[in-house]
Amino acid sequence: MSTLNSGSYVIRSIRADEWPAAKELRLAALRDPVASLAFLETYEEALARPDSFWQGRAAGACEGADGAQQIIAEGPDGRWVGTLTVLVEEPGVPDWAGYPVERKQGHVVGVFVRPEERGSGLTDVLFDAGLEWAWARGAERVRLIVHEENGRAQRFYRRAGFVPSGLVVPLPARPEETELEFVLERP
């Protein structure tokens, strides 16, 4: 992916050596008031992970990686202010919840924009970059999973063109709660 300058922000894929910044942004995301609805791990779980975890995570989703890509919005001062990651899911392989993947698809995870940057259009630009990356890898569709009670995220995803597929996924740790799959077919 090429670096895209969106106003005073740079939208780009991370580099493997930027794992400390990726870790810091993830920890900030996990402190968000709706983190329990948006992410499957807690701040305490992430904080306890060793540096080797963060290094491997960054290396697996950095510029040039084929199976995943973490895209960030970098502010004019160099601070990372938003992110999303796109995973490539291959047909015939079970997904994270054990459901079979029927066709090559992108799976958007880890969407976060710092509260002070929300409403600026950065999420739209991050999604555009993530979709471009997924389509370039031959994805037939892109999906995401969103908590049934995360209305703010659901409204954004609908506005971005994603629609509910009808798949409802119970949360492994909290089976009384469910998440909904939203999909966007390749144009």
Short mmCIF file of all heavy atoms in Angstrom, two decimals, residues 102-167:
data_model
loop_
_atom_site.label_atom_id
_atom_site.label_comp_id
_atom_site.label_asym_id
_atom_site.label_seq_id
_atom_site.Cartn_x
_atom_site.Cartn_y
_atom_site.Cartn_z
N GLU A 102 -16.30 -19.43 3.30
CA GLU A 102 -16.76 -19.98 2.03
C GLU A 102 -16.04 -19.40 0.81
O GLU A 102 -15.99 -20.03 -0.24
CB GLU A 102 -18.27 -19.78 1.90
CG GLU A 102 -19.02 -20.56 2.98
CD GLU A 102 -20.51 -20.31 2.95
OE1 GLU A 102 -21.01 -19.61 2.04
OE2 GLU A 102 -21.19 -20.85 3.85
N ARG A 103 -15.52 -18.19 0.94
CA ARG A 103 -14.78 -17.58 -0.18
C ARG A 103 -13.75 -16.62 0.36
O ARG A 103 -13.83 -16.22 1.52
CB ARG A 103 -15.74 -16.89 -1.14
CG ARG A 103 -16.67 -15.91 -0.49
CD ARG A 103 -17.80 -15.55 -1.44
NE ARG A 103 -18.79 -14.77 -0.76
CZ ARG A 103 -19.41 -13.74 -1.28
NH1 ARG A 103 -19.15 -13.37 -2.51
NH2 ARG A 103 -20.31 -13.08 -0.60
N LYS A 104 -12.79 -16.28 -0.47
CA LYS A 104 -11.72 -15.39 0.00
C LYS A 104 -12.33 -14.05 0.39
O LYS A 104 -13.07 -13.44 -0.37
CB LYS A 104 -10.67 -15.20 -1.11
CG LYS A 104 -9.45 -14.47 -0.62
CD LYS A 104 -8.34 -14.48 -1.66
CE LYS A 104 -7.08 -13.89 -1.07
NZ LYS A 104 -5.95 -14.06 -2.00
N GLN A 105 -11.99 -13.64 1.60
CA GLN A 105 -12.56 -12.40 2.11
C GLN A 105 -11.59 -11.68 3.01
O GLN A 105 -10.67 -12.27 3.57
CB GLN A 105 -13.86 -12.68 2.86
CG GLN A 105 -13.69 -13.58 4.07
CD GLN A 105 -15.02 -14.07 4.64
OE1 GLN A 105 -16.06 -13.95 4.01
NE2 GLN A 105 -14.98 -14.59 5.85
N GLY A 106 -11.81 -10.38 3.15
CA GLY A 106 -11.11 -9.59 4.14
C GLY A 106 -11.96 -9.54 5.39
O GLY A 106 -13.19 -9.62 5.33
N HIS A 107 -11.31 -9.44 6.53
CA HIS A 107 -12.01 -9.33 7.80
C HIS A 107 -11.41 -8.14 8.54
O HIS A 107 -10.25 -8.17 8.93
CB HIS A 107 -11.83 -10.63 8.60
CG HIS A 107 -12.62 -10.66 9.87
ND1 HIS A 107 -12.87 -11.83 10.54
CD2 HIS A 107 -13.22 -9.69 10.61
CE1 HIS A 107 -13.57 -11.57 11.64
NE2 HIS A 107 -13.79 -10.27 11.69
N VAL A 108 -12.20 -7.10 8.72
CA VAL A 108 -11.75 -5.88 9.38
C VAL A 108 -11.87 -6.08 10.89
O VAL A 108 -12.92 -6.47 11.39
CB VAL A 108 -12.57 -4.66 8.93
CG1 VAL A 108 -12.17 -3.41 9.72
CG2 VAL A 108 -12.42 -4.42 7.44
N VAL A 109 -10.78 -5.81 11.61
CA VAL A 109 -10.74 -5.92 13.06
C VAL A 109 -9.99 -4.72 13.64
O VAL A 109 -9.28 -4.01 12.92
CB VAL A 109 -10.06 -7.23 13.53
CG1 VAL A 109 -10.81 -8.46 13.04
CG2 VAL A 109 -8.60 -7.29 13.09
N GLY A 110 -10.12 -4.54 14.93
CA GLY A 110 -9.31 -3.55 15.64
C GLY A 110 -9.51 -2.11 15.20
O GLY A 110 -8.58 -1.32 15.22
N VAL A 111 -10.74 -1.74 14.84
CA VAL A 111 -11.01 -0.37 14.39
C VAL A 111 -11.01 0.55 15.61
O VAL A 111 -11.70 0.30 16.60
CB VAL A 111 -12.38 -0.29 13.68
CG1 VAL A 111 -12.68 1.14 13.26
CG2 VAL A 111 -12.43 -1.24 12.50
N PHE A 112 -10.21 1.61 15.51
CA PHE A 112 -10.16 2.58 16.62
C PHE A 112 -9.66 3.92 16.11
O PHE A 112 -8.68 3.99 15.36
CB PHE A 112 -9.21 2.09 17.72
CG PHE A 112 -9.03 3.08 18.84
CD1 PHE A 112 -10.07 3.36 19.73
CD2 PHE A 112 -7.83 3.76 19.01
CE1 PHE A 112 -9.90 4.29 20.76
CE2 PHE A 112 -7.65 4.68 20.03
CZ PHE A 112 -8.70 4.94 20.92
N VAL A 113 -10.35 4.97 16.52
CA VAL A 113 -9.90 6.35 16.30
C VAL A 113 -9.97 7.03 17.66
O VAL A 113 -10.97 6.90 18.38
CB VAL A 113 -10.78 7.08 15.26
CG1 VAL A 113 -10.42 8.56 15.18
CG2 VAL A 113 -10.63 6.43 13.88
N ARG A 114 -8.89 7.71 18.02
CA ARG A 114 -8.87 8.39 19.32
C ARG A 114 -10.06 9.34 19.43
O ARG A 114 -10.44 9.99 18.45
CB ARG A 114 -7.56 9.16 19.50
CG ARG A 114 -6.34 8.24 19.61
CD ARG A 114 -5.08 9.06 19.92
NE ARG A 114 -3.87 8.27 19.77
CZ ARG A 114 -3.30 7.56 20.73
NH1 ARG A 114 -3.85 7.51 21.93
NH2 ARG A 114 -2.19 6.89 20.50
N PRO A 115 -10.65 9.44 20.62
CA PRO A 115 -11.87 10.24 20.79
C PRO A 115 -11.75 11.67 20.26
O PRO A 115 -12.69 12.19 19.66
CB PRO A 115 -12.11 10.22 22.31
CG PRO A 115 -11.46 8.96 22.77
CD PRO A 115 -10.27 8.76 21.86
N GLU A 116 -10.62 12.30 20.47
CA GLU A 116 -10.47 13.70 20.04
C GLU A 116 -10.41 13.84 18.52
O GLU A 116 -10.51 14.95 17.99
CB GLU A 116 -9.24 14.34 20.69
CG GLU A 116 -7.91 13.72 20.30
CD GLU A 116 -7.48 12.52 21.14
OE1 GLU A 116 -8.32 11.93 21.88
OE2 GLU A 116 -6.30 12.17 21.07
N GLU A 117 -10.25 12.74 17.80
CA GLU A 117 -10.18 12.78 16.34
C GLU A 117 -11.47 12.29 15.68
O GLU A 117 -11.60 12.34 14.46
CB GLU A 117 -9.02 11.90 15.85
CG GLU A 117 -7.66 12.30 16.38
CD GLU A 117 -7.17 13.62 15.84
OE1 GLU A 117 -7.61 14.05 14.76
OE2 GLU A 117 -6.32 14.25 16.51
N ARG A 118 -12.41 11.80 16.46
CA ARG A 118 -13.66 11.27 15.91
C ARG A 118 -14.46 12.39 15.26
O ARG A 118 -14.44 13.52 15.71
CB ARG A 118 -14.47 10.57 16.99
CG ARG A 118 -13.76 9.32 17.45
CD ARG A 118 -14.50 8.57 18.52
NE ARG A 118 -13.64 7.48 19.00
CZ ARG A 118 -13.73 6.94 20.18
NH1 ARG A 118 -14.66 7.33 21.02
NH2 ARG A 118 -12.89 5.98 20.53
N GLY A 119 -15.13 12.04 14.19
CA GLY A 119 -15.92 13.02 13.45
C GLY A 119 -15.12 13.77 12.41
O GLY A 119 -15.65 14.61 11.70
N SER A 120 -13.84 13.45 12.29
CA SER A 120 -12.96 14.16 11.34
C SER A 120 -12.93 13.50 9.96
O SER A 120 -12.33 14.04 9.05
CB SER A 120 -11.54 14.20 11.90
OG SER A 120 -11.00 12.87 11.94
N GLY A 121 -13.56 12.34 9.82
CA GLY A 121 -13.50 11.61 8.56
C GLY A 121 -12.39 10.59 8.48
O GLY A 121 -12.24 9.89 7.47
N LEU A 122 -11.58 10.48 9.55
CA LEU A 122 -10.46 9.53 9.52
C LEU A 122 -10.92 8.09 9.39
O LEU A 122 -10.27 7.29 8.71
CB LEU A 122 -9.60 9.68 10.78
CG LEU A 122 -8.62 10.83 10.80
CD1 LEU A 122 -7.84 10.83 12.11
CD2 LEU A 122 -7.67 10.76 9.63
N THR A 123 -12.02 7.73 10.03
CA THR A 123 -12.49 6.35 9.94
C THR A 123 -12.84 6.02 8.49
O THR A 123 -12.51 4.93 8.00
CB THR A 123 -13.70 6.11 10.87
OG1 THR A 123 -13.36 6.59 12.18
CG2 THR A 123 -14.04 4.64 10.96
N ASP A 124 -13.46 6.95 7.79
CA ASP A 124 -13.77 6.73 6.37
C ASP A 124 -12.51 6.47 5.57
O ASP A 124 -12.45 5.55 4.75
CB ASP A 124 -14.49 7.95 5.78
CG ASP A 124 -15.86 8.18 6.39
OD1 ASP A 124 -16.74 7.32 6.21
OD2 ASP A 124 -16.04 9.23 7.03
N VAL A 125 -11.50 7.28 5.80
CA VAL A 125 -10.24 7.16 5.05
C VAL A 125 -9.53 5.85 5.40
O VAL A 125 -9.00 5.17 4.52
CB VAL A 125 -9.33 8.39 5.29
CG1 VAL A 125 -8.01 8.26 4.56
CG2 VAL A 125 -10.05 9.66 4.86
N LEU A 126 -9.54 5.48 6.67
CA LEU A 126 -8.96 4.20 7.08
C LEU A 126 -9.68 3.04 6.40
O LEU A 126 -9.04 2.10 5.90
CB LEU A 126 -9.00 4.03 8.59
CG LEU A 126 -8.00 4.86 9.39
CD1 LEU A 126 -8.37 4.89 10.87
CD2 LEU A 126 -6.59 4.33 9.21
N PHE A 127 -11.01 3.09 6.38
CA PHE A 127 -11.78 2.03 5.72
C PHE A 127 -11.49 1.98 4.23
O PHE A 127 -11.34 0.89 3.66
CB PHE A 127 -13.28 2.19 5.99
CG PHE A 127 -13.75 1.31 7.11
CD1 PHE A 127 -13.54 1.68 8.43
CD2 PHE A 127 -14.38 0.11 6.86
CE1 PHE A 127 -13.96 0.87 9.47
CE2 PHE A 127 -14.80 -0.71 7.90
CZ PHE A 127 -14.58 -0.33 9.21
N ASP A 128 -11.41 3.13 3.59
CA ASP A 128 -11.08 3.15 2.15
C ASP A 128 -9.74 2.45 1.90
O ASP A 128 -9.62 1.65 0.98
CB ASP A 128 -11.02 4.58 1.62
CG ASP A 128 -12.38 5.24 1.52
OD1 ASP A 128 -13.42 4.53 1.61
OD2 ASP A 128 -12.42 6.48 1.36
N ALA A 129 -8.75 2.74 2.73
CA ALA A 129 -7.43 2.13 2.57
C ALA A 129 -7.49 0.63 2.84
O ALA A 129 -6.87 -0.17 2.12
CB ALA A 129 -6.41 2.81 3.50
N GLY A 130 -8.23 0.23 3.87
CA GLY A 130 -8.36 -1.19 4.18
C GLY A 130 -9.07 -1.96 3.09
O GLY A 130 -8.66 -3.07 2.72
N LEU A 131 -10.14 -1.38 2.55
CA LEU A 131 -10.86 -2.03 1.46
C LEU A 131 -9.99 -2.14 0.21
O LEU A 131 -9.95 -3.19 -0.44
CB LEU A 131 -12.15 -1.27 1.14
CG LEU A 131 -13.23 -1.32 2.22
CD1 LEU A 131 -14.36 -0.34 1.90
CD2 LEU A 131 -13.76 -2.73 2.39
N GLU A 132 -9.26 -1.08 -0.10
CA GLU A 132 -8.35 -1.11 -1.25
C GLU A 132 -7.34 -2.24 -1.10
O GLU A 132 -7.07 -2.97 -2.04
CB GLU A 132 -7.64 0.24 -1.36
CG GLU A 132 -6.61 0.32 -2.46
CD GLU A 132 -5.84 1.63 -2.42
OE1 GLU A 132 -6.47 2.69 -2.21
OE2 GLU A 132 -4.59 1.59 -2.57
N TRP A 133 -6.79 -2.39 0.10
CA TRP A 133 -5.82 -3.45 0.34
C TRP A 133 -6.46 -4.83 0.16
O TRP A 133 -5.89 -5.71 -0.47
CB TRP A 133 -5.23 -3.31 1.75
CG TRP A 133 -4.14 -4.28 2.02
CD1 TRP A 133 -2.81 -4.15 1.69
CD2 TRP A 133 -4.27 -5.57 2.65
NE1 TRP A 133 -2.12 -5.28 2.08
CE2 TRP A 133 -2.99 -6.16 2.68
CE3 TRP A 133 -5.34 -6.27 3.20
CZ2 TRP A 133 -2.75 -7.42 3.22
CZ3 TRP A 133 -5.11 -7.53 3.75
CH2 TRP A 133 -3.83 -8.09 3.75
N ALA A 134 -7.67 -5.03 0.71
CA ALA A 134 -8.35 -6.32 0.60
C ALA A 134 -8.70 -6.64 -0.86
O ALA A 134 -8.49 -7.77 -1.31
CB ALA A 134 -9.62 -6.32 1.46
N TRP A 135 -9.22 -5.66 -1.58
CA TRP A 135 -9.58 -5.92 -2.99
C TRP A 135 -8.33 -6.25 -3.80
O TRP A 135 -8.37 -7.13 -4.67
CB TRP A 135 -10.29 -4.72 -3.62
CG TRP A 135 -11.55 -4.23 -2.96
CD1 TRP A 135 -11.93 -2.92 -2.84
CD2 TRP A 135 -12.61 -4.97 -2.33
NE1 TRP A 135 -13.15 -2.82 -2.19
CE2 TRP A 135 -13.59 -4.06 -1.87
CE3 TRP A 135 -12.83 -6.34 -2.10
CZ2 TRP A 135 -14.76 -4.46 -1.22
CZ3 TRP A 135 -13.99 -6.73 -1.44
CH2 TRP A 135 -14.94 -5.80 -1.01
N ALA A 136 -7.22 -5.61 -3.51
CA ALA A 136 -5.97 -5.88 -4.23
C ALA A 136 -5.45 -7.29 -3.97
O ALA A 136 -4.67 -7.82 -4.77
CB ALA A 136 -4.90 -4.86 -3.86
N ARG A 137 -5.89 -7.92 -2.88
CA ARG A 137 -5.49 -9.29 -2.57
C ARG A 137 -6.52 -10.31 -3.04
O ARG A 137 -6.46 -11.47 -2.69
CB ARG A 137 -5.25 -9.46 -1.07
CG ARG A 137 -3.77 -9.23 -0.84
CD ARG A 137 -3.43 -8.23 0.17
NE ARG A 137 -2.11 -7.67 -0.06
CZ ARG A 137 -1.90 -6.51 -0.66
NH1 ARG A 137 -2.88 -5.82 -1.18
NH2 ARG A 137 -0.68 -6.03 -0.77
N GLY A 138 -7.48 -9.87 -3.82
CA GLY A 138 -8.46 -10.79 -4.40
C GLY A 138 -9.64 -11.13 -3.53
O GLY A 138 -10.36 -12.09 -3.81
N ALA A 139 -9.87 -10.36 -2.49
CA ALA A 139 -11.03 -10.62 -1.63
C ALA A 139 -12.31 -10.43 -2.44
O ALA A 139 -12.44 -9.47 -3.20
CB ALA A 139 -11.03 -9.70 -0.42
N GLU A 140 -13.24 -11.35 -2.25
CA GLU A 140 -14.53 -11.24 -2.92
C GLU A 140 -15.51 -10.41 -2.11
O GLU A 140 -16.48 -9.89 -2.64
CB GLU A 140 -15.12 -12.64 -3.15
CG GLU A 140 -14.28 -13.48 -4.10
CD GLU A 140 -14.84 -14.88 -4.26
OE1 GLU A 140 -16.07 -15.05 -4.19
OE2 GLU A 140 -14.03 -15.80 -4.45
N ARG A 141 -15.25 -10.32 -0.82
CA ARG A 141 -16.05 -9.48 0.06
C ARG A 141 -15.20 -9.14 1.26
O ARG A 141 -14.16 -9.75 1.51
CB ARG A 141 -17.35 -10.16 0.49
CG ARG A 141 -17.16 -11.29 1.47
CD ARG A 141 -18.48 -11.90 1.89
NE ARG A 141 -18.30 -12.74 3.07
CZ ARG A 141 -19.25 -13.09 3.89
NH1 ARG A 141 -20.49 -12.69 3.69
NH2 ARG A 141 -19.00 -13.85 4.93
N VAL A 142 -15.65 -8.14 2.01
CA VAL A 142 -15.00 -7.78 3.27
C VAL A 142 -16.09 -7.83 4.33
O VAL A 142 -17.23 -7.44 4.10
CB VAL A 142 -14.35 -6.38 3.20
CG1 VAL A 142 -13.84 -5.94 4.56
CG2 VAL A 142 -13.23 -6.37 2.17
N ARG A 143 -15.71 -8.35 5.49
CA ARG A 143 -16.67 -8.46 6.58
C ARG A 143 -16.08 -7.91 7.85
O ARG A 143 -14.87 -7.66 7.96
CB ARG A 143 -17.09 -9.90 6.77
CG ARG A 143 -15.99 -10.74 7.41
CD ARG A 143 -16.50 -12.12 7.69
NE ARG A 143 -15.55 -12.92 8.42
CZ ARG A 143 -15.90 -13.87 9.26
NH1 ARG A 143 -17.15 -14.14 9.46
NH2 ARG A 143 -14.98 -14.57 9.88
N LEU A 144 -16.95 -7.75 8.81
CA LEU A 144 -16.54 -7.38 10.16
C LEU A 144 -17.61 -7.91 11.10
O LEU A 144 -18.72 -8.24 10.68
CB LEU A 144 -16.36 -5.87 10.30
CG LEU A 144 -17.49 -4.98 9.79
CD1 LEU A 144 -18.56 -4.79 10.85
CD2 LEU A 144 -16.95 -3.66 9.33
N ILE A 145 -17.23 -8.04 12.33
CA ILE A 145 -18.14 -8.53 13.36
C ILE A 145 -18.29 -7.40 14.38
O ILE A 145 -17.31 -6.84 14.84
CB ILE A 145 -17.57 -9.80 14.05
CG1 ILE A 145 -17.17 -10.86 13.02
CG2 ILE A 145 -18.55 -10.34 15.08
CD1 ILE A 145 -18.30 -11.52 12.28
N VAL A 146 -19.54 -7.08 14.73
CA VAL A 146 -19.80 -5.96 15.63
C VAL A 146 -20.78 -6.41 16.71
O VAL A 146 -21.74 -7.13 16.45
CB VAL A 146 -20.32 -4.73 14.84
CG1 VAL A 146 -21.61 -5.04 14.10
CG2 VAL A 146 -20.49 -3.52 15.74
N HIS A 147 -20.52 -5.98 17.93
CA HIS A 147 -21.37 -6.32 19.07
C HIS A 147 -22.78 -5.79 18.82
O HIS A 147 -22.96 -4.68 18.32
CB HIS A 147 -20.80 -5.72 20.36
CG HIS A 147 -21.39 -6.30 21.60
ND1 HIS A 147 -22.63 -5.92 22.07
CD2 HIS A 147 -20.92 -7.24 22.47
CE1 HIS A 147 -22.90 -6.58 23.18
NE2 HIS A 147 -21.88 -7.40 23.45
N GLU A 148 -23.76 -6.58 19.21
CA GLU A 148 -25.16 -6.22 19.01
C GLU A 148 -25.53 -4.88 19.65
O GLU A 148 -26.44 -4.19 19.18
CB GLU A 148 -26.07 -7.32 19.55
CG GLU A 148 -25.93 -7.51 21.06
CD GLU A 148 -26.70 -8.71 21.61
OE1 GLU A 148 -27.59 -9.21 20.92
OE2 GLU A 148 -26.37 -9.14 22.73
N GLU A 149 -24.82 -4.49 20.70
CA GLU A 149 -25.14 -3.24 21.41
C GLU A 149 -24.24 -2.07 21.01
O GLU A 149 -24.37 -0.98 21.57
CB GLU A 149 -25.05 -3.47 22.92
CG GLU A 149 -26.12 -4.42 23.42
CD GLU A 149 -26.03 -4.68 24.92
OE1 GLU A 149 -25.37 -3.90 25.63
OE2 GLU A 149 -26.63 -5.68 25.36
N ASN A 150 -23.35 -2.26 20.05
CA ASN A 150 -22.45 -1.18 19.64
C ASN A 150 -23.10 -0.40 18.48
O ASN A 150 -22.73 -0.52 17.32
CB ASN A 150 -21.08 -1.75 19.23
CG ASN A 150 -20.03 -0.66 19.12
OD1 ASN A 150 -20.35 0.53 19.02
ND2 ASN A 150 -18.78 -1.07 19.12
N GLY A 151 -24.09 0.39 18.85
CA GLY A 151 -24.85 1.15 17.85
C GLY A 151 -24.02 2.14 17.07
O GLY A 151 -24.23 2.31 15.87
N ARG A 152 -23.09 2.82 17.74
CA ARG A 152 -22.25 3.81 17.04
C ARG A 152 -21.49 3.15 15.90
O ARG A 152 -21.48 3.65 14.78
CB ARG A 152 -21.27 4.46 18.04
CG ARG A 152 -20.39 5.52 17.41
CD ARG A 152 -19.40 6.09 18.40
NE ARG A 152 -18.34 5.12 18.63
CZ ARG A 152 -17.45 5.18 19.60
NH1 ARG A 152 -17.51 6.16 20.49
NH2 ARG A 152 -16.51 4.28 19.73
N ALA A 153 -20.87 2.00 16.17
CA ALA A 153 -20.12 1.29 15.14
C ALA A 153 -21.05 0.79 14.04
O ALA A 153 -20.74 0.92 12.85
CB ALA A 153 -19.33 0.14 15.74
N GLN A 154 -22.18 0.23 14.43
CA GLN A 154 -23.13 -0.27 13.42
C GLN A 154 -23.58 0.84 12.49
O GLN A 154 -23.68 0.63 11.27
CB GLN A 154 -24.34 -0.92 14.09
CG GLN A 154 -24.03 -2.25 14.72
CD GLN A 154 -25.27 -2.91 15.28
OE1 GLN A 154 -26.32 -2.88 14.66
NE2 GLN A 154 -25.15 -3.50 16.46
N ARG A 155 -23.85 2.03 13.00
CA ARG A 155 -24.26 3.15 12.15
C ARG A 155 -23.16 3.51 11.16
O ARG A 155 -23.42 3.75 9.99
CB ARG A 155 -24.64 4.36 13.01
CG ARG A 155 -26.01 4.22 13.67
CD ARG A 155 -26.46 5.49 14.37
NE ARG A 155 -25.60 5.90 15.47
CZ ARG A 155 -25.63 5.38 16.70
NH1 ARG A 155 -26.50 4.43 16.99
NH2 ARG A 155 -24.82 5.82 17.64
N PHE A 156 -21.91 3.55 11.63
CA PHE A 156 -20.81 3.86 10.71
C PHE A 156 -20.70 2.79 9.64
O PHE A 156 -20.56 3.10 8.45
CB PHE A 156 -19.46 3.99 11.44
CG PHE A 156 -18.35 4.12 10.45
CD1 PHE A 156 -18.08 5.34 9.84
CD2 PHE A 156 -17.62 3.00 10.05
CE1 PHE A 156 -17.09 5.44 8.86
CE2 PHE A 156 -16.64 3.10 9.08
CZ PHE A 156 -16.37 4.32 8.49
N TYR A 157 -20.73 1.51 10.02
CA TYR A 157 -20.56 0.43 9.05
C TYR A 157 -21.65 0.47 7.98
O TYR A 157 -21.38 0.27 6.80
CB TYR A 157 -20.52 -0.93 9.75
CG TYR A 157 -19.39 -1.05 10.75
CD1 TYR A 157 -19.55 -1.77 11.92
CD2 TYR A 157 -18.16 -0.43 10.54
CE1 TYR A 157 -18.52 -1.88 12.86
CE2 TYR A 157 -17.13 -0.53 11.47
CZ TYR A 157 -17.32 -1.25 12.62
OH TYR A 157 -16.30 -1.35 13.54
N ARG A 158 -22.87 0.75 8.39
CA ARG A 158 -23.97 0.86 7.42
C ARG A 158 -23.70 2.03 6.47
O ARG A 158 -23.90 1.92 5.26
CB ARG A 158 -25.31 1.04 8.13
CG ARG A 158 -25.82 -0.22 8.79
CD ARG A 158 -27.14 0.08 9.53
NE ARG A 158 -27.56 -1.00 10.38
CZ ARG A 158 -28.28 -2.05 10.00
NH1 ARG A 158 -28.66 -2.17 8.74
NH2 ARG A 158 -28.62 -2.98 10.86
N ARG A 159 -23.28 3.14 7.02
CA ARG A 159 -22.99 4.31 6.19
C ARG A 159 -21.86 4.02 5.20
O ARG A 159 -21.85 4.54 4.08
CB ARG A 159 -22.63 5.50 7.09
CG ARG A 159 -22.56 6.83 6.36
CD ARG A 159 -22.45 8.01 7.30
NE ARG A 159 -21.39 7.94 8.28
CZ ARG A 159 -20.10 8.18 8.03
NH1 ARG A 159 -19.71 8.50 6.82
NH2 ARG A 159 -19.21 8.12 9.00
N ALA A 160 -20.93 3.15 5.60
CA ALA A 160 -19.80 2.78 4.73
C ALA A 160 -20.19 1.72 3.69
O ALA A 160 -19.36 1.33 2.88
CB ALA A 160 -18.63 2.28 5.58
N GLY A 161 -21.45 1.26 3.72
CA GLY A 161 -21.92 0.31 2.73
C GLY A 161 -22.04 -1.13 3.20
O GLY A 161 -22.47 -2.00 2.45
N PHE A 162 -21.65 -1.40 4.43
CA PHE A 162 -21.75 -2.76 4.97
C PHE A 162 -23.20 -3.03 5.36
O PHE A 162 -23.91 -2.13 5.83
CB PHE A 162 -20.86 -2.92 6.21
CG PHE A 162 -19.40 -2.99 5.90
CD1 PHE A 162 -18.66 -1.84 5.62
CD2 PHE A 162 -18.74 -4.21 5.88
CE1 PHE A 162 -17.30 -1.90 5.34
CE2 PHE A 162 -17.38 -4.28 5.59
CZ PHE A 162 -16.66 -3.13 5.33
N VAL A 163 -23.64 -4.28 5.17
CA VAL A 163 -24.99 -4.68 5.54
C VAL A 163 -24.93 -5.95 6.38
O VAL A 163 -24.02 -6.77 6.21
CB VAL A 163 -25.88 -4.91 4.30
CG1 VAL A 163 -26.08 -3.62 3.53
CG2 VAL A 163 -25.30 -5.99 3.40
N PRO A 164 -25.89 -6.14 7.29
CA PRO A 164 -25.91 -7.37 8.08
C PRO A 164 -26.10 -8.59 7.17
O PRO A 164 -26.92 -8.56 6.26
CB PRO A 164 -27.11 -7.19 9.01
CG PRO A 164 -27.40 -5.73 9.00
CD PRO A 164 -26.96 -5.22 7.66
N SER A 165 -25.33 -9.64 7.42
CA SER A 165 -25.45 -10.86 6.62
C SER A 165 -26.48 -11.82 7.19
O SER A 165 -26.89 -12.75 6.52
CB SER A 165 -24.09 -11.58 6.56
OG SER A 165 -23.79 -12.14 7.83
N GLY A 166 -26.84 -11.61 8.44
CA GLY A 166 -27.74 -12.53 9.13
C GLY A 166 -27.01 -13.47 10.06
O GLY A 166 -27.63 -14.12 10.91
N LEU A 167 -25.67 -13.55 9.95
CA LEU A 167 -24.89 -14.40 10.84
C LEU A 167 -24.80 -13.73 12.21
O LEU A 167 -24.41 -12.57 12.33
CB LEU A 167 -23.48 -14.64 10.29
CG LEU A 167 -22.55 -15.49 11.16
CD1 LEU A 167 -23.09 -16.91 11.30
CD2 LEU A 167 -21.15 -15.51 10.57
#
